[in-house]
Amino acid sequence: MTNRPQLPHPREEIVRTMERIYHYRMTTTSGGNLSIRDSSGDTWVTPARVDKGSLRPDDIVCVRADGSVQGRHPPSSEFPFHQAIYEARPDIRGIVHAHSVALVAFSICRIVPDTRLFHQARRVCGEVGFAPYALPGSAALAKNIADTFGHGFHCVLLENHGVVVGGDSLQNAFQRFETLEFTAKTIIKASTLGPLSYLSDEQLELPRRAFPPLPIGAAAPPGSQEKELRRQLCSFLQRSYRNRMVISTEGSFSARVDADSFLITPRDRDRFALEPDDLVLIRDGAAEPGKSPSRAARIHQAIYARHCDIHSVVNAYAVNATAFAVTGAELDARTIAESLLLLRDVQRIPYGRQFQDGSEIAERVSLERPIALLENDGVLVCGTSVLDAFDRLEVLESTAETVINGRLLGQPQSMSEAVIAELTAAFLTKQ
């Protein structure tokens, strides 16, 4: 996972990372802590008894390699397990500990999320370890956690407590944490729908056998339309991240520039921090020089080539819609009027097709069938514009959550054929 250069100081990086974790309700005011071990052996860590929702850079504590402490506050009471992890795993340079609801739910049931649900989760997180309970802040807990990390795990669930995730940087640890939390939430949601489908070893290998990257094209200055599309794509991508429909490691947005070119998000970049200049122009099948487009570029390219009326394509990882993609449950858009009009019949594409040349997926989608559940790989949405695609994505996720909630109450009912015919005549036949 390649990212932007790290922020200039560990204090700033810790504060900004905690802002993301707290803002998205992945920990509580008093719960969780972050740390960075720098190249000198000093460790920067969140303080004890300071509101996680209002941390400032001068709140961050530095524990020097010689054990001396510098800062306005004492270090987190759970600093001992950070120290123990760094000692057990010299390759780890950043640690996230948080109390996200989904992962704590797993910890109190004493099971771990199976990252084989998604090839991305398996690649980013690996297998998840489990550390037995010990008193928070104690040497016993530090030993339990460090011993588990010592077996090669990057993500460790703490019995009746929370989760600890390590990485070669704090950014890397955060991406693992967010990906694992998304996986846990999806498992919980999908469990209300029916049996989940997990990927075999052979299926997990399919992304590595995917088509090679697109060739590199020639540089060209952007026109005004391209500049505006870059701005729009970043704006809607950021909205999608805020609304939890993409995560830092996964999610691709694209928009058609003209008959021969489109813009798409880059590969292996934090979706939260993308700027318009980060987007990759694909022209005549070749990528903008110096940039790596999303792995989904071939699929988007095939869709644009086949459908001149599609002007934006989105690959998203919204939890509720993705829950349908990892089970055999049908997502029935005929339960809600708006859903029928915007989503039509939601189709399902077997796992593995997304690693081919894109022609099969392009043949199956259209503006008449703009939504596809990609088995064990999120959802695909097509639209007439970036706004249209985003609107359909929001309606898709809202519909999926509504149907899941409805199933907890009773049996969701589709609209009658007469109602559907009336809606079709009033709205769809005029298009």
Side-chain angles (χ1 to χ4, degrees):
M1 291 174 287
T2 58
N3 303 289
R4 293 177 180 279
Q6 288 191 348
L7 293 165
H9 197 283
R11 294 182 188 275
E12 295 284 347
E13 188 175 3
I14 287 173
V15 168
R16 294 193 189 188
T17 303
M18 184 59 83
E19 284 176 351
R20 290 173 73 172
I21 292 172
Y22 183 80
H23 180 76
Y24 295 113
R25 298 187 65 244
M26 295 190 288
T27 201
T28 60
T29 298
S30 59
N33 33 77
L34 310 178
S35 73
I36 294 172
R37 173 158 286 190
D38 66 23
S39 57
S40 68
D42 296 339
T43 303
W44 303 82
V45 64
T46 45
R49 300 181 297 278
V50 175
D51 177 11
K52 300 300 188 302
S54 60
L55 275 182
R56 294 168 31 176
D58 59 1
D59 290 322
I60 306 306
V61 183
C62 180
V63 181
R64 300 296 183 189
D66 63 8
S68 61
V69 177
Q70 294 184 345
R72 301 192 303 137
H73 311 284
S76 167
S77 62
E78 295 186 305
F79 180 64
F81 76 65
H82 290 250
Q83 283 184 305
I85 293 170
Y86 289 129
E87 290 171 7
R89 291 279 301 278
D91 59 308
I92 289 178
R93 312 299 291 183
I95 293 172
V96 172
H97 168 52
H99 300 165
S100 81
V101 171
L103 290 169
V104 173
F106 274 85
S107 82
I108 65 176
C109 293
R110 295 166 185 165
I111 56 177
V112 298
D114 188 343
T115 55
R116 288 176 174 271
L117 194 66
F118 305 111
H119 69 91
Q120 308 95 320
R122 196 65 171 186
R123 174 177 63 88
V124 172
C125 302
E127 188 177 353
V128 181
F130 189 85
Y133 178 84
L135 182 70
S138 67
L141 179 62
K143 182 179 186 306
N144 289 350
I145 297 172
D147 285 350
T148 310
F149 270 94
H151 285 97
F153 295 104
H154 302 302
C155 304
V156 176
L157 223 59
L158 312 184
E159 183 178 359
N160 291 86
H161 188 162
V163 68
V164 181
V165 180
D168 59 15
S169 66
L170 184 60
Q171 170 76 349
N172 180 220
F174 171 78
Q175 289 180 334
R176 282 179 171 149
F177 163 66
E178 188 182 42
T179 302
L180 184 63
E181 198 254 356
F182 167 76
T183 303
K185 287 195 298 187
T186 305
I187 291 172
I188 292 169
K189 290 283 189 174
S191 296
T192 69
L193 300 173
L196 279 69
S197 174
Y198 290 93
L199 300 174
S200 66
D201 289 344
E202 182 177 358
Q203 288 174 316
L204 288 170
E205 284 294 314
L206 286 179
R208 299 183 185 181
R209 305 175 197 161
F211 271 70
L214 294 173
I216 303 301
S224 57
Q225 181 186 1
E226 180 185 330
K227 290 179 180 179
E228 174 58 20
L229 281 174
R230 286 178 181 271
R231 186 197 65 79
Q232 284 184 27
L233 279 173
C234 283
S235 175
F236 282 107
L237 183 60
Q238 289 161 8
R239 282 173 67 176
S240 296
Y241 186 89
R242 290 196 300 269
N243 294 344
R244 314 312 288 149
M245 294 188 294
V246 299
I247 57 177
S248 59
T249 57
E250 299 298 334
S252 301
F253 272 58
S254 74
R256 185 194 294 273
V257 178
D258 54 40
D260 302 312
S261 63
F262 64 95
L263 290 163
I264 193 166
T265 43
R267 178 176 180 173
D268 292 336
R269 294 286 294 274
D270 185 350
R271 275 63 173 167
F272 174 79
L274 287 180
E275 299 289 342
D277 286 345
D278 296 323
L279 299 175
V280 185
L281 180 69
I282 309 296
R283 183 179 298 282
D284 296 324
E288 186 177 352
K291 299 180 180 180
S292 297
S294 164
R295 295 178 183 87
R298 286 190 180 275
I299 296 173
H300 292 219
Q301 181 182 34
I303 291 171
Y304 291 130
R306 186 176 181 87
H307 303 283
C308 61
D309 52 354
I310 291 178
H311 287 262
S312 185
V313 181
V314 177
N315 286 89
Y317 297 86
V319 167
N320 293 281
T322 303
F324 284 87
V326 300
T327 66
E330 177 190 7
L331 177 49
D332 186 3
R334 296 168 177 259
T335 51
I336 306 167
E338 181 190 33
S339 303
L340 173 65
L341 297 175
L342 287 178
L343 309 182
R344 315 293 176 88
D345 291 324
V346 177
Q347 59 183 311
R348 179 182 300 271
I349 294 177
Y351 181 81
R353 304 298 192 274
Q354 70 273 41
F355 307 123
Q356 299 175 4
D357 64 0
S359 58
E360 180 179 346
I361 292 178
E363 185 176 348
R364 293 185 58 171
V365 299
S366 65
L367 288 182
E368 286 68 45
R369 300 193 75 187
I371 310 295
L373 302 178
L374 304 180
E375 289 185 350
N376 294 84
D377 203 7
V379 300
L380 185 141
V381 180
C382 303
T384 58
S385 66
V386 180
L387 173 60
D388 183 48
F390 177 80
D391 185 22
R392 293 178 195 270
L393 173 60
E394 279 199 320
V395 172
L396 173 66
E397 176 65 355
S398 176
T399 303
E401 185 172 12
T402 300
V403 171
I404 289 173
N405 290 344
R407 289 170 67 110
L408 297 174
L409 298 172
Q411 181 60 46
Q413 301 296 314
S414 299
M415 296 177 292
S416 69
E417 291 299 326
V419 168
I420 292 172
E422 180 185 42
L423 284 167
T424 301
F427 296 99
L428 298 182
T429 56
K430 298 178 181 179
Q431 297 181 2

